[in-house]
Amino acid sequence: RVFEDDRVFAFADITPQAPLHVLIVPKAHIASLDELHQEHDSLVGELVRRGAAIARDRGYAERGFRTVFNCNADAGQTVFHVHLHLLAGRPLAWPPG
């Protein structure tokens, strides 16, 4: 466990793609980004802010980090519960994938 409060849970990815690879997950079940509604705006913002805070706390903020949401199978989503990937600690190429 990297972080937990009443709305969000963050933990290390079991197949990390970078030295820091954390998944930040809302506790409320939302299957994918295309199921988000206006009432989820603050929750999505919270996921992004938590990712930035974890990167900062782990010393990666100045060098840089990436946050990624995958939406549905063709984009690489394999777990159908919205989650934000936080990656840092190595150069990340563009475009990804």
Side-chain angles (χ1 to χ4, degrees):
R1 175 180 14 196
V2 173
F3 175 83
E4 184 174 12
D5 67 13
D6 60 326
R7 292 173 31 115
V8 173
F9 186 65
F11 55 93
D13 193 295
I14 61 170
T15 56
Q17 302 300 305
L20 177 67
H21 189 169
V22 172
L23 302 178
I24 304 151
V25 182
K27 289 186 175 180
H29 178 69
I30 306 161
S32 67
L33 290 178
D34 58 356
E35 291 189 8
L36 291 172
H37 300 285
Q38 188 173 2
E39 71 239 25
H40 299 122
D41 288 357
S42 67
L43 180 59
V44 173
E46 191 173 339
L47 298 177
V48 174
R49 284 189 310 276
R50 179 54 48 199
I54 292 168
R56 187 174 48 254
D57 292 347
R58 299 286 175 99
Y60 293 106
E62 284 192 30
R63 286 185 47 210
F65 59 92
R66 179 173 292 165
T67 56
V68 177
F69 284 106
N70 297 319
C71 183
N72 295 325
D74 280 358
Q77 185 177 3
T78 58
V79 174
F80 287 86
H81 185 107
V82 165
H83 56 284
L84 177 72
H85 293 259
L86 168 64
L87 299 114
R90 68 169 176 82
L92 298 166
W94 193 262

